[in-house]
């Protein structure tokens, strides 16, 4: 079979894998993997190294480095099983993977790379002794991001920081450029915080009840994107659903899964199952692509737990992305015109991990007057990828710049997507170019259409939220 290998960009390979100027731990762990769910040899052998994955792999496109492609990483998994040590170089190749799963979509052999990289990341996280600085930063991220109550404590100071103009002053004075790479990325990716909108525990249907659905409000979503949750509840209610948002819910575990923190992810998954089972809902609706992807794999995550394995499989069968769920309903609410040119960005964990591409597009096309525009290289990740843009800021910026250029080329008035991390990443990438573009979640557009909000009002509202009160400038490259 012919190999499909894109031309790497000139001069990129020198920056591959080890990280320029980055201190590694110098560790070497032998054997590479222990006996607790190492990457499955049978799944590894499914890879015939044909190369169809290469044009869709973000890190291969950046560097042209074979070991930073899916088939290269699968080769490393195989030699790890054969007895090679897990060292700095091998760990870096695995860490550089975004986990976007574009290779899963592209693979003609059906290689389950998602299962392989998840198992490998758990091994790396459990066995590989990272540098002290790396451990400290990752610990900081996971002390806050999966915990909504802790994030809410940060929300007030962050909002004051923004509304008082301190963020703009910091950036204009060049102070943000002096922050270390990862902290500088956190500064750049801070969301603009508007008023807090809390979703009621129960939202009654507008008209005859057509179903009782649970709604995941999430951790980052509930604190930094509450308007998306509020719009989701309104849209579901308008379509005849009784919407239950259990107050005891917390993080679904998606960030932990993506980072290889298996035990932590399992703990969050068990709690999520308990909470929604107790709520007595027919379906669990999710409006964040990464969360939905992980929740649909609870059966795999908890496969060794005799008390939860079967419950997890049944639970996952009832999880739906909000666009997917709405596509299964006959529309009940009238859509009013929204004459805007909207570019739709495929979130990787919706398009590749869940295989959902048509439902969000169909939902947007059903809005009268809305012109849907496609983005070139839609299959290529924007660089967000869970916490990837925090722990690997340089490749994330390069991918974000590529995505921003393709978004601008559409000439759209509005960018629409299905994942909060994508919104933050693309917004930051546009701002580094000195550009701004109103951005919204799919359900915000549907909500505006159902409520009859004028197009100008929607664009002004989401532009004001995305851009803040003053135009912000790049924090450096």
């Amino acid at each position: 079979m012919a190999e499909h290998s894109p031309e790497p960009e000139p001069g990129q390979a020198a920056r591959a894998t080890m990280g320029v100027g980055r201190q590694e731990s110098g560790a070497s762990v032998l054997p590479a993997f222990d006996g607790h769910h190492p990457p499955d040899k049978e799944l590894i052998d499914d890879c015939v190294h044909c190369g169809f994955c290469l044009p869709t792999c973000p890190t291969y496109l950046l560097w042209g480095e074979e070991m930073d492609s899916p088939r290269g990483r699968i080769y490393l998994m195989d030699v790890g099983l054969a007895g090679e040590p897990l060292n700095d170089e091998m760990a870096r190749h695995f860490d550089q993977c975004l986990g976007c799963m574009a290779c899963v979509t592209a693979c003609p052999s059906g290689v389950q790379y998602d299962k392989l990289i998840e198992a490998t990341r758990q091994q790396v996280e459990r066995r590989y002794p990272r540098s002290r600085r790396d451990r400290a930063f990752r610990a900081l991220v996971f002390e806050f991001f999966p915990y909504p109550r802790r994030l809410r404590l940060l929300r007030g100071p962050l909002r004051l920081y923004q509304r008082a103009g301190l963020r703009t002053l910091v950036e204009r004075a060049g102070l943000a450029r002096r922050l270390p790479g990862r902290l500088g990325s956190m500064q750049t990716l801070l969301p603009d915080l508007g008023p807090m909108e809390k979703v009621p525990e129960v939202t009654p249907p507008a008209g005859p009840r057509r179903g009782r659905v649970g709604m995941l409000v999430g951790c980052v979503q509930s604190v930094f994107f509450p308007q998306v949750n509020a719009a989701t509840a309104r849209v579901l209610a308008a379509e005849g659903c009784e919407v239950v948002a259990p107050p005891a819910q917390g993080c679904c575990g998606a960030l932990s899964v993506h980072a290889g923190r298996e035990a932590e992810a399992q703990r969050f998954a068990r709690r999520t199952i308990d909470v929604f089972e107790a709520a007595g809902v027919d379906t669990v609706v999710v409006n964040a692509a990464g969360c939905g992807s992980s929740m649909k794999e609870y059966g795999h995550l908890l496969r060794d737990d005799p008390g939860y394995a079967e419950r997890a499989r049944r639970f996952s069968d009832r999880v739906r992305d909000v666009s997917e769920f709405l596509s299964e309903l006959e529309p009940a609410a009238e859509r009013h015109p929204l004459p805007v040119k909207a570019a739709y960005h495929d979130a990787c964990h919706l398009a590749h991990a869940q295989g959902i591409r048509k439902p969000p597009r169909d939902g947007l096309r059903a809005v009268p007057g809305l012109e849907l525009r496609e983005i070139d290289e839609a299959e290529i990740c924007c660089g967000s990828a869970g916490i990837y843009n925090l722990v690997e800021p340089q490749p994330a910026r390069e991918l974000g710049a590529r995505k921003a250029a393709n978004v601008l080329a559409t000439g759209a008035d509005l960018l629409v997507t299905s994942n909060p991390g994508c919104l933050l990443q693309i917004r930051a990438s546009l701002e580094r170019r000195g550009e701004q573009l109103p951005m919204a979640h799919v359900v915000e557009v549907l909500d505006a259409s159902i409520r009859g909000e004028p197009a100008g009002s929607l664009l002004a509202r989401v532009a004001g939220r995305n851009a803040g009160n003053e135009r912000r400038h790049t924090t450096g490259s």
Side-chain angles (χ1 to χ4, degrees):
M1 187 177 293
E3 179 175 306
H4 292 248
S5 302
E7 286 294 323
E9 296 180 9
Q12 297 290 312
R15 297 207 304 275
T17 70
M18 291 303 291
V20 174
R22 176 167 175 158
Q23 183 179 359
E24 305 293 345
S25 70
S28 182
V29 180
L30 188 68
F33 307 130
D34 62 26
H36 179 69
H37 294 309
D40 190 319
K41 176 62 174 171
E42 290 187 7
L43 298 185
I44 286 173
D45 289 343
D46 287 338
C47 178
V48 298
H49 300 271
C50 64
F52 277 92
C53 60
L54 300 184
T56 67
C57 176
T59 50
Y60 185 81
L61 290 179
L62 288 181
W63 303 315
E65 165 62 45
E66 177 67 19
M67 292 303 119
D68 280 315
S69 72
R71 68 180 185 183
R73 293 184 178 109
I74 289 174
Y75 170 80
L76 290 176
M77 295 171 196
D78 201 16
V79 298
L81 287 176
E84 289 294 317
L86 175 61
N87 56 20
D88 286 344
E89 184 176 359
M90 186 184 287
R92 286 295 294 146
H93 287 305
F94 294 139
D95 282 349
Q96 293 278 26
C97 175
L98 290 95
C100 68
M101 307 310 165
C103 56
V104 175
T105 299
C107 182
S109 301
V111 174
Q112 297 180 59
Y113 182 81
D114 51 341
K115 298 288 193 301
L116 289 170
I117 193 64
E118 179 183 313
T120 302
R121 283 208 160 128
Q122 290 170 6
Q123 293 279 339
V124 172
E125 189 66 18
R126 190 169 59 248
R127 293 173 54 74
Y128 174 69
R130 299 185 181 277
S131 68
R132 183 179 300 176
R133 180 179 296 181
D134 199 4
R135 289 198 308 271
F137 184 81
R138 290 170 185 266
L140 173 66
V141 169
F142 282 96
E143 278 296 309
F144 284 97
F145 278 33
Y147 299 99
R149 290 181 182 176
R150 298 177 192 178
L151 286 177
R152 281 194 289 271
L153 293 176
L154 295 177
R155 195 179 194 278
L158 286 176
R159 194 168 185 223
L160 178 62
Y161 172 65
Q162 293 173 352
R163 292 299 178 265
L166 296 177
R167 179 176 182 177
T168 304
L169 289 174
V170 166
E171 292 178 353
R172 287 181 176 171
L175 297 178
R177 295 186 183 94
R178 301 178 188 177
L179 292 172
R182 288 174 167 182
L183 292 178
S185 291
M186 292 185 82
Q187 152 79 15
T188 304
L189 293 164
L190 284 176
D192 292 297
L193 301 174
M196 192 71 182
E197 297 182 65
K198 189 173 181 180
V199 175
E201 183 175 348
V202 178
T203 302
R209 192 177 89 165
R210 303 170 70 191
R212 178 179 166 90
V213 303
M215 176 180 155
L216 182 82
V217 298
C219 38
V220 173
Q221 188 89 298
S222 66
V223 178
F224 293 147
F225 294 90
Q227 71 282 349
V228 174
N229 282 341
T232 302
R234 286 194 296 265
V235 169
L236 292 171
E239 295 293 6
C241 297
E242 181 182 25
V243 184
V244 182
Q249 65 177 292
C251 180
C252 68
L255 289 178
S256 304
V257 168
H258 299 161
R261 298 165 68 96
E262 181 186 24
E264 183 178 75
Q266 290 171 335
R267 187 172 73 251
F268 288 138
R270 292 185 192 101
R271 177 177 175 177
T272 302
I273 292 168
D274 290 343
V275 166
F276 282 102
E277 281 184 348
V281 296
D282 308 317
T283 305
V284 179
V285 175
V286 187
N287 59 19
C291 299
S293 172
S294 291
M295 291 167 69
K296 288 181 177 181
E297 295 296 327
Y298 276 178
H300 181 72
L301 178 65
L302 296 174
R303 61 194 181 280
D304 295 332
D305 188 330
Y308 277 87
E310 182 57 35
R311 291 170 61 190
R313 283 191 288 271
R314 291 197 304 267
F315 177 87
S316 292
D317 288 342
R318 294 187 290 130
V319 174
R320 297 287 186 277
D321 179 76
V322 62
S323 294
E324 178 186 24
F325 178 73
L326 291 172
S327 73
E328 297 170 357
L329 287 177
E330 187 70 26
E334 180 184 359
R335 269 59 168 171
H336 298 92
L338 273 176
V340 296
K341 297 186 290 289
Y344 178 72
H345 164 68
D346 281 298
C348 292
H349 277 85
L350 192 63
H352 299 307
Q354 299 184 57
I356 297 174
R357 298 175 184 81
K358 190 170 183 289
R361 288 174 168 82
D362 288 348
L364 292 170
R365 289 192 179 104
V367 174
L370 187 145
E371 178 188 336
L372 191 63
R373 298 191 173 185
E374 295 294 339
I375 301 171
D376 284 344
E377 295 187 322
E379 73 281 2
I380 303 300
C381 183
C382 67
S384 174
I387 64 167
Y388 188 88
N389 52 2
L390 298 179
V391 296
E392 303 291 348
Q394 187 56 43
R397 282 192 176 200
E398 294 183 36
L399 292 169
R402 190 176 185 129
K403 183 64 69 174
N406 285 327
V407 167
L408 291 172
T410 66
D413 307 316
L414 175 70
L415 178 68
V416 185
T417 189
S418 303
N419 200 58
C422 298
L423 289 171
L424 293 178
Q425 172 73 357
I426 297 173
R427 184 208 66 183
S429 301
L430 288 169
E431 286 179 352
R432 279 191 284 270
R433 295 174 58 106
E435 301 282 354
Q436 292 182 353
L437 184 68
M439 299 183 188
H441 191 286
V442 170
V443 292
E444 292 183 280
V445 177
L446 300 181
D447 178 52
S449 176
I450 290 171
R451 291 189 293 111
E453 181 178 10
S457 172
L458 169 66
L459 292 175
R461 176 165 56 82
V462 298
R465 185 183 73 228
N466 291 332
N469 294 330
E470 296 185 69
R471 187 178 184 86
R472 294 202 304 272
H473 297 269
T474 177
T475 59
S477 56

